[in-house]
Amino acid sequence: MAFISVNNLTAHYILERYGERKTIHAVEDTTFSMNKRDFLAIVGESGCGKSTLAKVLYGAVNSQLVVVNGTVTYQFEGSEYVVSPSKNTVREIWWKKLSYIPQSSLGVLNPLRKVRYIFLDLFRSHGGDYDQQRVVEHLNAVGLSPRVLDMYPFELSGGMRQRVVIALATLMKPQVIIADEPTSALDVVIQNEILQLLKRIQSETASTLVLITHDISLVPALANKLMIMYCGSPVEFGECRAVLSNPLHPYTKFLISSIPRIGDKTMKRSIPGYPPDLSNPPPGCRFHPRCSFSDRLCEEKRPTLTLVEDDHYVACWKCR
Ligand SMILES: Nc1ncnc2c1ncn2[C@@H]1O[C@H](COP(=O)(O)OP(=O)(O)OP(=O)(O)O)[C@@H](O)[C@H]1O
Ligand SMILES: [Mg+2]
């Protein structure tokens, strides 16, 4: 069995307001698997469900974000942890084996506590004593001076804050790290440093990393696996080089052709139409209203990821 298996995962936001019920189909019938030490990048336009998938992988489900169907299974040396509609055992391994860097780092850091006490809380939550030497060495490894321990989160720059969150998320040497746009709102130089830092931590600790980004141009230097997500589910998935050098799904082709290249003066074409409303997604292939190749089958039946070549899967009726 794969190290991480996601099977037919469907997760919805269920909102009740003034007696009215609204369902957001944020993750729909998603199946894929990952091996140990994989570095998976998940790319897709805003609102397509990337953060929701990350939250469910981390087991951060609640009364609003509900796993409606399917499972996420982690196989850690002899012990299995599962997120499913009926159980969530991954919560037991948060921080220690499974870590999560959410999209907004500010939300993780208690604004009323100096960084030292945030680390102290982390040790306490694992029943351990605060280990100053270990914290200082770890801060050093992520390029931070121990001075930050005596600062409040609001006194840190965006880049420093992000490094503190990465230090917290990696201190316990988790085997899986889920990082949701860890560099959004940072300038390009810092962005690159933070991503290289994550990559270094991943290879030093032999961990498995899921990185969510909407910048596909960053991916080749970092990841070995790539998932393209559209409207709640992956439309293309596989070995990074295979997906980038031989993109098959029309949506992936658009994304790749939109990467700016130095010296290229041709006008970039944007994808026609608008991203669908996830509270009322289109039937069949969710990309069909924007796809110039779609036909009746695409309008009526939803394609699932299908193997088209070694380690390369596509969800498109026209790519089989
Ligand atoms: N807490 C929430 N309650 C209700 N709906 C939500 C919530 N969070 C996200 N959504 C909705 O779920 C869908 C998927 O959102 P999600 O945040 O997963 O997208 P995303 O791909 O991460 O977008 P972005 O690139 O902008 O971060 C969107 O339609 C969004 O409006
Ligand atoms: Mg997001």
Side-chain angles (χ1 to χ4, degrees):
M1 205 177 180
F3 181 48
I4 306 175
S5 329
V6 177
N7 281 308
N8 305 108
L9 185 69
T10 297
H12 295 164
Y13 292 98
I14 297 174
L15 311 172
E16 302 260 6
R17 280 203 196 123
Y18 310 113
E20 239 181 69
R21 195 178 155 101
K22 189 173 175 190
T23 303
I24 315 280
H25 301 249
V27 174
E28 204 67 13
D29 200 13
T30 291
T31 298
F32 66 95
S33 61
M34 288 178 69
N35 297 321
K36 257 189 179 158
R37 307 185 75 152
D38 268 348
F39 188 136
L40 168 69
I42 302 181
V43 178
E45 66 196 324
S46 190
C48 72
K50 303 181 296 298
S51 294
T52 310
L53 177 60
K55 285 183 213 164
V56 179
L57 291 179
Y58 187 57
V61 289
N62 52 37
S63 57
Q64 283 204 332
L65 175 56
V66 180
V67 177
V68 181
N69 187 36
T71 50
V72 181
T73 309
Y74 292 88
Q75 299 287 345
F76 290 106
E77 293 123 31
S79 40
E80 189 179 270
Y81 296 87
V82 182
V83 185
S84 74
S86 57
K87 64 177 169 184
N88 178 6
T89 55
V90 300
R91 193 176 265 271
E92 298 161 21
I93 52 166
W94 280 3
W95 298 98
K96 260 198 163 152
K97 288 187 174 169
L98 176 62
S99 246
Y100 172 50
I101 302 169
Q103 192 158 3
S104 163
S105 62
L106 211 52
V108 185
L109 304 174
N110 183 340
L112 303 175
R113 281 175 91 63
K114 286 187 177 169
V115 172
R116 178 187 314 281
Y117 296 102
I118 300 177
F119 276 96
L120 199 134
D121 293 342
L122 178 63
F123 279 100
R124 275 211 193 120
S125 68
H126 288 95
D129 289 328
Y130 177 67
D131 182 341
Q132 167 90 2
Q133 194 186 340
R134 186 166 160 204
V135 171
V136 170
E137 279 171 12
H138 198 61
L139 285 174
N140 197 25
V142 302
L144 284 173
S145 137
R147 263 186 309 118
V148 299
L149 289 171
D150 292 312
M151 294 165 87
Y152 286 98
F154 68 83
E155 295 177 286
L156 306 170
S157 72
M160 287 162 91
R161 212 155 42 215
Q162 201 54 276
R163 279 169 204 266
V164 169
V165 175
I166 291 174
L168 281 164
T170 54
L171 183 72
M172 301 286 168
K173 295 206 169 19
Q175 290 170 45
V176 179
I177 303 168
I178 300 163
D180 187 358
E181 308 234 20
T183 58
S184 56
L186 299 179
D187 71 64
V188 185
V189 176
I190 308 284
Q191 176 175 307
N192 194 35
E193 278 176 23
I194 299 273
L195 291 174
Q196 291 307 330
L197 169 67
L198 270 176
K199 173 101 181 139
R200 202 188 75 220
I201 292 173
Q202 185 237 354
S203 59
E204 281 173 8
T205 57
S207 50
T208 304
L209 216 148
V210 178
L211 172 78
I212 289 170
T213 172
H214 50 236
D215 190 347
I216 197 170
S217 64
L218 300 172
V219 172
L222 297 165
N224 68 322
K225 292 277 169 77
L226 174 59
M227 176 188 291
I228 311 292
M229 219 172 146
Y230 183 79
C231 192
S233 56
V235 292
E236 193 149 357
F237 171 71
E239 212 260 323
C240 191
R241 255 171 307 175
V243 176
L244 290 174
S245 63
N246 184 25
L248 297 168
H249 196 283
Y251 177 65
T252 316
K253 288 183 182 174
F254 265 116
L255 273 189
I256 291 179
S257 69
S258 68
I259 302 174
R261 289 186 178 83
I262 294 170
D264 179 5
K265 294 199 174 70
T266 54
M267 281 289 282
K268 303 287 175 206
R269 266 191 320 140
S270 59
I271 307 175
Y274 300 100
D277 173 5
L278 285 182
S279 64
N280 183 24
C285 170
R286 288 181 169 186
F287 189 62
H288 89 257
R290 301 171 83 182
C291 181
S292 49
F293 307 102
S294 69
D295 62 14
R296 191 129 171 227
L297 178 63
C298 311
E299 287 164 22
E300 287 174 357
K301 201 159 175 231
R302 204 164 150 260
T304 50
L305 280 182
T306 305
L307 189 67
V308 279
E309 60 174 327
D310 202 19
D311 207 1
H312 188 174
Y313 300 77
V314 186
C316 173
W317 294 120
K318 301 289 169 190
C319 305
R320 302 173 180 221

